[in-house]
Amino acid sequence: MTTTPEPVGSVWPGLTDQDHSHAYVDRFRQMAARGQDLHGEARLVDALAPRGARLLDAGCGPGRHGGYLAAAGHDVVGVDVDPILIDAARADHPGATWLVSDLSRLDLPALGEPEPFDGAMVVGNVMDFVTPEAQPRVIERLGAHLRPDGFLVVGCRTVRGFTPADLDAALPGAGLVLEQRFATYDLRPWTDDATFCVSVLRAR
Ligand SMILES: C[S@@+](CC[C@H](N)C(=O)[O-])C[C@H]1O[C@@H](n2cnc3c(N)ncnc32)[C@H](O)[C@@H]1O
């Protein structure tokens, strides 16, 4: 029988289970080795960013987005709560800075990264792994790390977990406004029956 785990703190129990984390790293390394396109999300962020931008990859996992953006010449900080995934990001993408932290308590100046960001991304269903009560805090923490006029890209599903409605409710408390909304990372138009949502938010 499967049961829904009770949320504890800001992450679901078992999220950082070591076997699962190592399997996740292996899965993405194998997809990269097969030449699979793993960079659609990062290409969108690259298009939004000035050259040589300072970018935050929030819930970075093993670093596929931040690694791509660092290779494109950006100054990237990636953050994830799972130390195994951060170890893999450091090994595979040494051109970026990778830090272990819970996004709901994110304080990068306290971790030696005082400069605000030109842009940030939280994609790959990261927000579904954050407990509902902590989700607004994550959006607020990401907004707090942006410079004025900086952007945040949020990817989420529309019918389960963290939805566009949850995102919209969190925006006023985060000092962010919705600038654009799409149905895919290659910018297909947003429709009310879309199954995925890509939001571009702007810091006021
Ligand atoms: C499905 S993975 C996506 C990883 C990466 N964004 C990608 O698209 O490849 C979700 C990630 O969110 C991270 N995560 C979940 N809750 C978090 C939290 N509260 N703080 C930091 N990272 C978190 C997990 O550890 C995991 O690496």
Side-chain angles (χ1 to χ4, degrees):
M1 189 178 80
T2 57
T3 55
T4 304
E6 287 299 315
V8 175
S10 64
V11 297
W12 296 99
L15 178 70
T16 57
D17 167 77
Q18 291 200 1
D19 289 344
H20 177 270
S21 299
H22 287 298
Y24 187 79
V25 170
D26 288 345
R27 184 152 60 90
F28 274 86
R29 281 179 176 156
Q30 285 167 21
M31 286 192 282
R34 286 198 298 270
Q36 224 161 307
D37 179 13
L38 302 176
H39 301 128
E41 302 94 326
R43 283 196 296 271
L44 172 59
V45 169
D46 185 42
L48 288 163
R51 296 307 82 193
R54 182 160 166 80
L55 298 175
L56 173 60
D57 182 359
C60 59
R64 64 184 167 123
H65 312 302
Y68 176 92
L69 291 164
H74 299 293
D75 172 19
V76 177
V77 177
V79 174
D80 201 283
V81 75
D82 186 331
I84 291 173
L85 303 187
I86 288 294
D87 280 349
R90 287 176 179 147
D92 293 354
H93 307 288
T97 299
W98 305 104
L99 300 172
V100 176
S101 180
D102 180 345
L103 294 174
S104 72
R105 300 182 181 89
L106 191 66
D107 181 359
L108 285 174
L111 297 178
E113 293 289 339
E115 290 299 316
F117 290 85
D118 298 303
M121 63 197 299
V122 60
V123 306
N125 297 333
V126 172
M127 294 301 294
D128 288 348
F129 293 92
V130 178
T131 57
E133 62 272 22
Q135 288 164 348
R137 284 211 310 272
V138 169
I139 299 301
E140 184 276 326
R141 287 289 75 213
L142 297 181
H145 283 77
L146 295 175
R147 66 164 172 75
D149 206 42
F151 68 85
L152 172 62
V153 173
V154 181
C156 64
R157 295 180 291 181
T158 56
V159 288
R160 283 194 295 138
F162 183 79
T163 65
D166 296 324
L167 175 61
D168 292 347
L171 296 185
L176 294 165
V177 290
L178 178 65
E179 191 172 87
Q180 308 262 17
R181 178 156 279 164
F182 304 98
T184 64
Y185 287 105
D186 61 351
L187 309 186
R188 299 295 174 110
W190 170 249
T191 58
D192 286 341
D193 60 352
T195 56
F196 197 76
C197 179
V198 178
S199 301
V200 180
L201 313 167
R202 191 68 65 175
R204 283 189 287 220

